[in-house]
Amino acid sequence: MSERRSGQGQPDKTLALLWRNHRRPAAEPTANEPARQRGAGRRPSLNVDDVVQTGIRLADEQGLAAASMGGLAKELGVGTMTLYTYVPSKDELLDLMVDQVLVERELPGPGAPRPDDWRAQVEIYSQQTRAMFQQHLWLSQVSTIRPPVGPGMLAGREYLLSAVLGLGLTATETNTAALAITTYVDSAAHLEAESRLVERTTGQTNDAWWFERNDLWETYFDVDRHPAMTAIWHAKGYDSTPADSYRYGLDRLLDGIEAMKTL
Amino acid sequence: MSERRSGQGQPDKTLALLWRNHRRPAAEPTANEPARQRGAGRRPSLNVDDVVQTGIRLADEQGLAAASMGGLAKELGVGTMTLYTYVPSKDELLDLMVDQVLVERELPGPGAPRPDDWRAQVEIYSQQTRAMFQQHLWLSQVSTIRPPVGPGMLAGREYLLSAVLGLGLTATETNTAALAITTYVDSAAHLEAESRLVERTTGQTNDAWWFERNDLWETYFDVDRHPAMTAIWHAKGYDSTPADSYRYGLDRLLDGIEAMKTL
DNA sequence: TGAATTCTCGTATACCCTACGAGAATTGTC
DNA sequence: GACAATTCTCGTAGGGTATACGAGAATTCA
């Protein structure tokens, strides 16, 4: 791990890049596109979107490692250092890639039609988020502890907050509940993607991996030290899938939140 | 990220290493320690525990990157390649480091005294897990999608299962609920550690990071496209800490699980 | 004493990101 | 038409990573 996110130099520049395609009414020209059509200087052969989209495509198809600055440049037919004309660093490029796939996640915006039931609204968030991770498995390799504060991330926060607002809790509790839900959903989607990514890159299913470790039970597992596991095993409690567990946990979390409404 | 866990060559050998200090009654000698005292050949200058403990110490003190094979060898006063006598690869060493800190997490074993209340038992798991991540921030940089199947990991699973068993749900539901709880707790502990790690390595607090991005609100944020965020903001709903949110979410999840008991 | 065994570790390979600075392309001005 | 100003292009170099290979050193037993 290359100690990602060690601090982007100029936040203002990063913000301008993230919001390059979302100008507010009556705003100045953004950083994408030629911008100032006039002016001296060599014409650029690419634009920021080219670099970001190619990065996403390479990472989707061949893994995040393929989206190295060198690999990306080769794919685009330019020298490696040329990319630094469009993007300040690899870290910022990753931010742009992440926010782009967040933008493409289809969540109803304010005013757009949506289910009445707040749980059904949360369900949309859950499904879209998991689908996004499945389509871009490399998301599970990118830290978003300091997320790209771009249009995609804000749209996600906005949607989930608006869903939980329907419950009529206090403002603080609404925010807190929304954070708890994103923690659960995003983390589970993250784990699902990571799991599939490992299966793909190793060429070995999780079942096969566990089978290879059969010796664990025969040689090392001590029944006396693990009575609960043994009990669950004998009661055939180990046949549920990760998806079942995810569903169950999310439903129980929403149950618990909903129960606060009446108090 | 160096595409970790691309598959360890020999699962049997890995298991022997993980369980090197936990022999079952009447088992053969393990892989640690000189083992067969007699026999020809040069005497080893280290043992597996030396390597693992030094790896943990270095990662704790100077970050996971400092626990490279080269850095570790220098710390131990040997050549880099010498380490490969004790550990098959960097990946396996990471497995050993992870399981070691899992072993050191203090959870009551079977038969040991523990609270009567199942929620209090879960609380112990939560606190110990978070403390473990805080003490070994590098855990947040290591994928455990294919966990080290050693004594530490099994002890954790055993404890949480035993706590949930006290609720009297079906075997399948007990297992499912325990998985949901670990997903939530482990993920949140992971995120907490990652957050602190980023603060440490960048030398910048999260508050300072957000402050640097103040332009977001002034220049790019569009109130019309984010009515829910705006409403929460005006109602002063943004003053809760991540710890509050974690607490709230865990309590609601346990509420929801407990409510299944009576149905 | 010599064979067998085991541990030690230098070298070499193939990646990664990016600072630096020289060169190429384009426009506007005189 | 020449030249300055500007902007994009990109080769080189440096410091980092894990580990395959194989020669050499140390130790014990016959």
Side-chain angles (χ1 to χ4, degrees):
Chain A
M1 160 119 22
S2 53
E3 214 85 335
R4 197 176 113 63
R5 230 158 276 271
S6 27
Q8 296 104 340
Q10 293 155 323
D12 293 355
K13 185 138 194 174
T14 303
L15 282 175
L17 276 170
L18 280 166
W19 291 87
R20 68 195 182 284
N21 294 325
H22 292 248
R23 59 188 72 191
R24 277 204 297 188
E28 315 84 277
T30 64
N32 197 35
E33 316 183 355
R36 51 222 165 318
Q37 193 76 347
R38 53 205 159 282
R42 188 169 175 171
R43 295 287 94 125
S45 57
L46 302 170
N47 63 44
V48 178
D49 286 332
D50 290 336
V51 179
V52 173
Q53 296 287 3
T54 304
I56 292 172
R57 187 167 54 76
L58 275 182
D60 285 350
E61 293 171 359
Q62 305 173 45
L64 191 58
S68 68
M69 296 306 266
L72 208 40
K74 186 159 291 180
E75 181 75 11
L76 286 163
V78 300
T80 305
M81 293 314 293
T82 300
L83 299 181
Y84 287 88
T85 306
Y86 301 95
V87 157
S89 73
K90 178 78 186 292
D91 276 0
E92 317 249 3
L93 171 57
L94 273 175
D95 270 354
L96 297 177
M97 288 167 58
V98 169
D99 203 70
Q100 181 61 35
V101 300
L102 285 171
V103 162
E104 290 167 6
R105 175 175 57 171
E106 291 180 9
L107 299 173
R114 60 169 77 184
D116 292 335
D117 182 19
W118 79 284
R119 296 178 80 121
Q121 291 178 36
V122 172
E123 183 62 23
I124 290 176
Y125 180 83
S126 161
Q127 282 181 0
Q128 293 296 325
T129 300
R130 293 171 71 199
M132 175 184 73
F133 270 90
Q134 288 299 310
Q135 202 147 25
H136 307 289
L137 297 181
W138 50 271
L139 281 175
S140 68
Q141 295 173 291
V142 179
S143 166
T144 48
I145 208 71
R146 288 187 176 175
V149 279
M153 197 217 58
L154 257 60
R157 288 245 207 282
E158 168 65 24
Y159 176 75
L160 194 59
L161 266 184
S162 71
V164 180
L165 263 180
L167 259 172
L169 304 171
T170 68
T172 299
E173 197 166 352
T174 298
N175 181 46
T176 304
L179 280 177
I181 293 171
T182 51
T183 297
Y184 185 81
V185 173
D186 294 0
S187 296
H190 190 117
L191 291 172
E192 280 180 349
E194 204 174 332
S195 175
R196 252 189 63 176
L197 191 59
V198 171
E199 286 193 331
R200 173 175 301 180
T201 57
T202 62
Q204 184 182 43
T205 65
N206 291 327
D207 285 348
W209 184 84
W210 277 107
F211 183 75
E212 265 193 353
R213 279 152 188 79
N214 215 25
D215 250 19
L216 170 65
W217 312 110
E218 293 172 5
T219 306
Y220 300 102
F221 185 76
D222 184 342
V223 171
D224 292 337
R225 296 195 59 77
H226 305 92
M229 294 181 74
T230 305
I232 296 287
W233 171 263
H234 283 133
K236 303 200 190 311
Y238 277 123
D239 52 3
S240 60
T241 69
D244 293 337
S245 167
Y246 169 74
R247 168 89 278 138
Y248 182 88
L250 180 56
D251 286 341
R252 296 297 79 72
L253 178 61
L254 300 187
D255 286 351
I257 291 170
E258 194 156 22
M260 299 299 284
K261 190 175 56 175
T262 61
L263 296 185
Chain B
M1 162 119 25
S2 54
E3 212 86 335
R4 197 175 112 63
R5 231 159 277 273
S6 30
Q8 296 105 341
Q10 293 154 321
D12 292 356
K13 186 136 193 175
T14 304
L15 282 175
L17 276 170
L18 280 166
W19 291 87
R20 68 195 181 285
N21 293 326
H22 287 69
R23 60 189 71 191
R24 277 205 296 186
E28 313 85 278
T30 64
N32 197 36
E33 315 184 356
R36 52 221 163 321
Q37 194 76 345
R38 52 205 157 280
R42 188 169 175 171
R43 293 288 95 120
S45 58
L46 303 170
N47 63 45
V48 177
D49 285 333
D50 289 335
V51 179
V52 173
Q53 296 287 4
T54 305
I56 292 171
R57 186 168 53 78
L58 238 42
D60 285 350
E61 293 171 358
Q62 305 174 44
L64 191 58
S68 67
M69 296 306 267
L72 206 40
K74 186 159 291 180
E75 181 76 11
L76 286 163
V78 300
T80 305
M81 292 313 292
T82 300
L83 299 181
Y84 288 88
T85 306
Y86 301 95
V87 158
S89 73
K90 178 80 185 294
D91 277 359
E92 316 249 2
L93 172 57
L94 274 174
D95 270 353
L96 297 177
M97 288 166 60
V98 169
D99 203 70
Q100 181 60 37
V101 301
L102 286 170
V103 162
E104 289 166 5
R105 175 174 58 169
E106 291 180 9
L107 300 173
R114 58 169 76 183
D116 291 334
D117 182 19
W118 79 284
R119 296 179 80 120
Q121 291 178 36
V122 172
E123 182 62 23
I124 290 177
Y125 179 83
S126 161
Q127 282 182 359
Q128 292 296 324
T129 300
R130 294 171 71 199
M132 175 184 71
F133 270 90
Q134 288 299 309
Q135 202 147 25
H136 307 289
L137 298 180
W138 50 270
L139 281 176
S140 66
Q141 296 173 290
V142 178
S143 166
T144 49
I145 208 70
R146 287 186 177 176
V149 280
M153 196 216 61
L154 256 61
R157 288 246 207 281
E158 168 66 23
Y159 176 75
L160 193 59
L161 267 184
S162 71
V164 180
L165 263 179
L167 261 173
L169 304 171
T170 67
T172 301
E173 197 167 353
T174 298
N175 180 47
T176 304
L179 282 177
I181 294 170
T182 52
T183 297
Y184 184 83
V185 173
D186 294 1
S187 296
H190 190 117
L191 291 172
E192 281 179 349
E194 204 174 331
S195 176
R196 254 190 61 177
L197 192 59
V198 170
E199 287 192 331
R200 172 174 301 178
T201 58
T202 62
Q204 184 183 42
T205 66
N206 291 328
D207 285 348
W209 184 84
W210 277 107
F211 182 76
E212 265 192 353
R213 280 153 188 77
N214 215 25
D215 250 19
L216 170 66
W217 312 110
E218 293 173 5
T219 307
Y220 299 103
F221 185 76
D222 184 343
V223 171
D224 293 336
R225 296 196 57 77
H226 305 91
M229 294 181 73
T230 305
I232 296 287
W233 172 263
H234 284 132
K236 303 201 191 309
Y238 277 122
D239 53 3
S240 59
T241 68
D244 293 337
S245 168
Y246 169 74
R247 168 90 278 138
Y248 182 88
L250 179 56
D251 286 341
R252 295 297 79 72
L253 177 61
L254 300 187
D255 285 351
I257 291 170
E258 194 155 21
M260 300 300 283
K261 190 174 58 174
T262 60
L263 297 185

